[in-house]
Amino acid sequence: MIICEDLLFSHGARLEKYNVGDYIFEEGTGAKYYLQIKTGTVKLNTFLEDGKEFVHGLPFDGHCIGESYLFTTHHYAVNAIAVTNCEIIKISKNKIVSILLETPTLMLELSRYTADRLHFRYMISSFLAISDPMVKLEKLFDHLKNYFGFEEAYSFLIPYTRQQIATLTGLRVETVIRNVKKMQEQNLVKLDNTKIYY
């Protein structure tokens, strides 16, 4: 979690529930709240003119979403849509800014988190130039494993479904399934039903 939930609630935050497919915020609207995911997975996306979807990320429990828009007058350039049933902690923009000004270490933590997310976006964007699906998957899994501080083989449970991995990497889900099987054959991953350990 980025900011302690108790701290947020003590300053007037509220918990809101979203069902699968609900919009948490929409592209083109202004940021009015700091939003932190208590439970669930959210998809950050944009829809292109031809109706195709581009997914920017799939943050989950403990992550915040759209936080950079609290410090600009720009409107959201993405949508945030619940992928699973979600509980989102919301606190007004004015209140979170006051908290951050009173506690500069929190501002530093939030800035570090945003920098990590930008790094992730750059990594994902670089995948577009890679044609080998296995290399794409290894790069994604390496980044996630390192981000969460895991080192041992098979110690890290990939937090995404095969469909979500496909969406993040620009691959078809069938390609992900086939290449994850190949990774298992090469002892790069361990599979336990639908779970992927890297």
Side-chain angles (χ1 to χ4, degrees):
M1 114 189 59
I2 306 308
I3 299 178
C4 173
E5 294 177 3
D6 291 339
L7 177 65
L8 294 172
F9 287 125
S10 72
H11 282 79
R14 65 182 191 270
L15 189 65
E16 288 197 1
K17 295 185 179 189
Y18 294 85
N19 296 319
V20 175
D22 286 350
Y23 279 75
I24 297 157
F25 60 75
E26 291 187 62
E27 180 180 358
T29 61
K32 296 178 182 172
Y33 300 96
Y34 169 79
L35 303 160
Q36 187 166 293
I37 304 168
K38 182 172 176 62
T39 61
T41 301
V42 173
K43 174 170 56 178
L44 299 175
N45 77 346
T46 49
F47 292 107
L48 307 176
E49 289 181 13
D50 60 3
K52 290 184 181 173
E53 176 186 39
F54 185 84
V55 175
H56 301 274
L58 292 160
F60 47 87
D61 302 15
H63 289 255
C64 57
I65 51 175
E67 74 287 347
S68 60
Y69 287 94
L70 296 170
F71 309 107
T72 180
T73 57
H74 295 297
H75 289 167
Y76 292 119
V78 296
N79 301 298
I81 303 171
V83 174
T84 63
N85 290 336
C86 295
E87 292 181 314
I88 307 288
I89 300 168
K90 293 176 74 170
I91 188 168
S92 74
K93 180 177 180 173
N94 293 339
K95 286 182 182 176
I96 195 67
V97 169
S98 292
I99 292 169
L100 294 173
L101 290 173
E102 290 169 10
T103 318
T105 54
L106 281 180
M107 184 60 163
L108 185 60
E109 283 300 312
L110 189 59
S111 296
R112 188 176 293 125
Y113 173 78
T114 303
D116 280 343
R117 285 259 292 268
L118 277 173
H119 176 68
F120 181 70
R121 286 303 329 136
Y122 296 148
M123 294 278 297
I124 293 292
S125 297
S126 72
F127 293 173
L128 299 176
I130 299 171
S131 59
D132 186 332
M134 183 96 72
V135 173
K136 281 187 182 189
L137 294 175
E138 282 189 70
K139 283 192 169 289
L140 175 64
F141 294 175
D142 281 340
H143 174 74
L144 291 169
K145 187 173 184 175
N146 290 335
Y147 176 80
F148 287 103
F150 288 81
E151 294 179 11
E152 300 296 317
Y154 316 128
S155 62
F156 180 65
L157 172 62
I158 301 297
Y160 298 124
T161 66
R162 284 155 180 77
Q163 177 61 59
Q164 291 168 339
I165 293 167
T167 302
L168 278 174
T169 56
L171 297 170
R172 295 180 58 208
V173 70
E174 295 83 3
T175 304
V176 170
I177 292 167
R178 189 169 51 252
N179 280 277
V180 166
K181 286 271 190 204
K182 284 182 190 174
M183 291 175 81
Q184 180 187 31
E185 290 164 8
Q186 296 176 17
N187 296 316
L188 297 172
V189 299
K190 188 178 272 188
L191 301 180
D192 180 13
N193 292 322
T194 61
K195 296 175 181 174
I196 303 170
Y197 291 91
Y198 186 67

